[in-house]
Amino acid sequence: MKVRYISDLESLEQLSEEERRRLAPVADRYAFRLNDYYARLINWSDPNDPIRRLVIPQSEELVAWGDLDASGEVDYTPVRGCQHKYSDTALLLVNEVCGAYCRYCFRKRLFMNDNDDASMDYSKGLAYIAEHEEITNVLLTGGDPLILSTRRLGQIFSDVSAVPHVRIIRIGTKMVAFNPFRVLDDPELLSLIREYCEGGTQIYLMNHFDHPRELTPQAREALRLLLEAGAQIVNQCPIIRGVNDRPQILGTLFRELSFEGCPPYYVFQGRPTAGNKPYEVPIVEGWRIFIEANRHISGLAKRARFVMSHHTGKLEICGIDGRYIYFRYHRAHRPEDYGRMLITLRDDQAYWLDQLTVVSGPASAIKAAAHFNPHG
Ligand code: SF4
């Protein structure tokens, strides 16, 4: 099915004229993009519809808050378009467009005109990966790699898999949610995935479903075809205010994903990214939602870790009591920090580690905490 893209609020007739006028400055600041398939999932008569919140600008996005690069990705960018933070995994930012734009995106800087973090020419990133034998996983991201043509993706697969130490290619994508016809209508994409899986390079689709209503019959069928082609599929999503910040919604999402063979992998604490204030949920509240969501589902549905992608590493939020929040380094930039506990005083208003008082943990995290100003 041909899906039509909408990148201009003016042409979104489901919004009133007043809404279009009021939201135009927001879309000028933080790019807007939608498509007619996803627009049909929205209940337009409900101003608080969760699918609507996911893609339609909110005036509150203009509130001063956070940073465009909230977890310092620039510090882990050895060459343009390539990030290397954890020894075995490198990111190639191969594209700067998505099937629609999530309002809470932590990489929205990519969609701004004056940004060049992503690169269509990935040759320098590829050379960097080839020189680093410790890199066994390459995550194609951006933007959404599945926006690229299958021919282009085939070229990237071929180049990346030619590096002998790369064993896994991951694709970070929300296309199955935003436009499942990208998969349903392209048998060549499925053949490409099958070819590489059978050839010994594992292809992982890191899907991004935020709400159970995104799991339409078409999206479920696309997941089934991807599995049939040999891809491994998992899901990762943040907890987003007004979208999935209710345990019943998040639990249903986890359960339904497990029924589709797409286990939840990470649930993220939202990064304090510029423009994201209306979508943020404090850590303590997010933890309660996450625990409650997992309460009545099977072990297979509750495989996600609740993590914060902090500048110093990926911190799992392991527990909270009356006084403290307990984190553990699930991934760490400094190898010596891996597995270490980090304990902070509890603050129910805090959104990010750097707003908390660290009482025990690696010096690097304590230092990072001293330099943060979410309103700066
Ligand atoms: S699909 Fe991912 S990269 Fe694209 S807008 Fe959404 S969160 Fe950002």
Side-chain angles (χ1 to χ4, degrees):
M1 194 188 93
K2 183 95 181 119
V3 166
R4 194 174 59 88
Y5 285 94
I6 309 158
S7 48
D8 179 4
L9 269 187
E10 272 305 306
S11 56
L12 199 60
E13 54 208 31
Q14 292 92 335
L15 293 181
S16 69
E17 225 180 292
E18 185 278 321
E19 284 171 315
R20 278 181 254 161
R21 212 179 23 249
R22 183 163 44 81
L23 298 176
V26 189
D28 282 349
R29 174 99 182 98
Y30 302 119
F32 161 79
R33 183 171 155 95
L34 181 58
N35 66 62
D36 57 356
Y37 161 82
Y38 201 77
R40 280 195 293 274
L41 304 189
I42 295 174
N43 173 4
W44 290 98
S45 60
D46 176 3
N48 298 317
D49 180 67
I51 306 297
R52 173 182 173 133
R53 260 186 86 78
L54 224 144
V55 285
I56 301 298
Q58 303 275 329
S59 305
E60 296 78 13
E61 291 176 27
L62 297 179
V63 169
W65 159 263
D67 191 350
L68 272 176
D69 181 8
S71 50
E73 291 193 317
V74 68
D75 295 338
Y76 299 106
T77 302
V79 295
R80 189 178 156 212
C82 175
Q83 293 180 22
H84 190 204
K85 183 171 182 178
Y86 308 123
S87 65
D88 51 27
T89 305
L91 277 60
L92 278 181
L93 278 68
V94 291
N95 179 24
E96 51 191 22
V97 182
C98 298
Y101 289 145
C102 311
R103 301 313 301 172
Y104 56 82
C105 180
F106 74 88
R107 278 216 192 109
K108 54 179 52 160
R109 66 184 191 280
L110 254 60
F111 316 135
M112 296 175 148
N113 290 337
D114 53 354
N115 182 280
D116 60 0
D117 285 15
S119 176
M120 292 301 278
D121 173 10
Y122 54 86
S123 57
K124 287 203 175 92
L126 193 65
Y128 176 89
I129 290 165
E131 281 162 15
H132 288 76
E133 289 188 8
E134 70 276 21
I135 297 173
T136 55
N137 284 243
V138 172
L139 169 64
L140 306 180
T141 182
D144 197 318
L146 285 192
I147 282 278
L148 299 173
S149 68
T150 298
R151 200 165 62 85
R152 175 82 178 152
L153 270 179
Q155 186 60 53
I156 300 174
F157 280 16
S158 164
D159 289 341
V160 172
S161 67
V163 178
H165 46 268
V166 174
R167 305 296 305 278
I168 291 178
I169 297 175
R170 308 184 196 183
I171 302 175
T173 182
K174 194 171 166 67
M175 276 306 265
V176 185
F178 278 150
N179 175 13
F181 297 97
R182 173 67 185 91
V183 175
L184 296 176
D185 292 350
D186 188 0
E188 282 174 19
L189 174 66
L190 296 167
S191 304
L192 179 72
I193 290 172
R194 186 171 294 112
E195 177 192 330
Y196 278 85
C197 291
E198 287 176 357
T201 302
Q202 292 286 341
I203 307 289
Y204 276 71
L205 267 284
M206 320 303 287
N207 289 285
H208 179 177
F209 290 93
D210 294 297
H211 191 281
R213 269 173 43 207
E214 293 180 315
L215 283 164
T216 60
Q218 295 87 348
R220 289 174 196 259
E221 176 64 5
L223 291 176
R224 192 189 67 73
L225 291 175
L226 288 164
L227 276 174
E228 199 180 84
Q232 310 280 337
I233 60 173
V234 295
N235 192 70
Q236 46 191 27
C237 66
I239 297 183
I240 312 152
R241 178 68 78 210
V243 174
N244 57 17
D245 59 341
R246 283 168 38 210
Q248 191 262 334
I249 298 291
L250 200 60
T252 302
L253 177 68
F254 292 165
R255 202 176 58 240
E256 291 297 321
L257 284 165
S258 76
F259 295 158
E260 300 304 330
C262 180
Y265 173 54
Y266 283 132
V267 170
F268 292 104
Q269 172 63 19
R271 301 181 205 206
T273 306
N276 285 10
K277 182 81 171 78
Y279 310 106
E280 297 292 322
V281 176
I283 300 164
V284 172
E285 186 183 346
W287 161 256
R288 281 205 204 103
I289 294 164
F290 177 75
I291 292 295
E292 234 3 80
N294 278 313
R295 189 178 290 280
H296 302 294
I297 56 179
S298 77
L300 288 175
K302 60 170 113 188
R303 281 188 277 172
R305 293 171 193 267
F306 182 34
V307 295
M308 174 188 291
S309 276
H310 186 254
H311 186 258
T312 57
K314 201 167 260 138
L315 283 154
E316 181 173 2
I317 300 148
C318 302
I320 293 176
D321 63 20
R323 275 201 78 159
Y324 300 113
I325 305 178
Y326 302 86
F327 299 88
R328 189 182 64 87
Y329 276 99
H330 175 60
R331 312 286 333 252
H333 174 61
R334 299 183 337 146
E336 59 271 33
D337 290 344
Y338 165 73
R340 289 187 67 178
M341 293 297 295
L342 190 146
I343 303 173
T344 73
L345 291 180
R346 173 172 168 165
D347 176 347
D348 288 21
Q349 308 307 316
Y351 294 90
W352 205 239
L353 172 67
D354 309 51
Q355 294 171 297
L356 292 163
T357 305
V358 180
V359 294
S360 162
S364 55
I366 297 172
K367 202 166 144 216
H371 291 288
F372 181 74
N373 174 9
H375 307 293

